[in-house]
Amino acid sequence: MKRIISTLLVCVLLLGCVFTLASCGKMLSGKYEASISDENKTTYEFSMNKVTKTTSIGAFGFAKTTTTEGKYKITENDEGKLKITFTWEVDGAEESETFNFDKVETSDSEYIELNGIKFTKVD
């Protein structure tokens, strides 16, 4: 009986540790998009700590689409404002960019803002 209780307590403690560690990091999931037109849009797709950025630029029936994969990290500065840092791998080297970040959820939509640009959740 003591062995069962000890095993159960260890499982509960481990589960508590997992939830504590999971709640420390801020994560995003899903696809967010900002578009000027059907041919000109930027999409960020988040999964765990990875992100895929797809940019489409076009006019007069011509379009160019670029896709970049990387990682992201959401942090809070001393003033309590959120920042998001993207780390992209470009030509074998890592490049980082940091934006002001905000996530807003309303009753009918969800979106994020990167330096004031609104990206609406589409997926």
Side-chain angles (χ1 to χ4, degrees):
M1 185 69 175
K2 287 183 182 181
R3 178 172 271 161
I4 293 172
I5 293 174
S6 296
T7 304
L8 183 62
L9 286 175
V10 167
C11 290
V12 169
L13 286 173
L14 287 174
L15 188 61
C17 289
V18 167
F19 284 128
T20 301
L21 290 174
S23 68
C24 289
K26 294 175 174 59
M27 307 280 283
L28 292 171
S29 65
K31 186 185 280 189
Y32 295 85
E33 180 178 275
S35 64
I36 297 171
S37 67
D38 288 339
E39 296 175 329
N40 296 295
K41 60 185 170 185
T42 300
T43 304
Y44 288 93
E45 188 166 358
F46 297 94
S47 176
M48 299 294 287
N49 69 335
K50 297 182 186 217
V51 61
T52 302
K53 178 182 177 182
T54 305
T55 305
S56 298
I57 301 172
F60 306 114
F62 298 100
K64 179 182 179 186
T65 301
T66 57
T67 301
T68 309
E69 294 184 354
K71 296 181 180 182
Y72 75 96
K73 183 176 183 181
I74 300 172
T75 56
E76 191 173 321
N77 66 11
D78 296 337
E79 300 162 355
K81 295 185 179 182
L82 296 176
K83 300 272 187 188
I84 187 167
T85 302
F86 295 106
T87 305
W88 310 107
E89 187 166 325
V90 179
D91 297 328
E94 286 188 351
E95 294 181 7
S96 294
E97 56 185 347
T98 301
F99 298 107
N100 293 325
F101 174 77
D102 194 18
K103 182 177 180 183
V104 179
E105 294 181 37
T106 63
S107 60
D108 59 339
S109 69
E110 181 178 330
Y111 64 92
I112 60 173
E113 285 188 11
L114 303 177
N115 280 352
I117 299 172
K118 184 177 175 180
F119 289 82
T120 305
K121 189 167 188 175
V122 292
D123 190 22

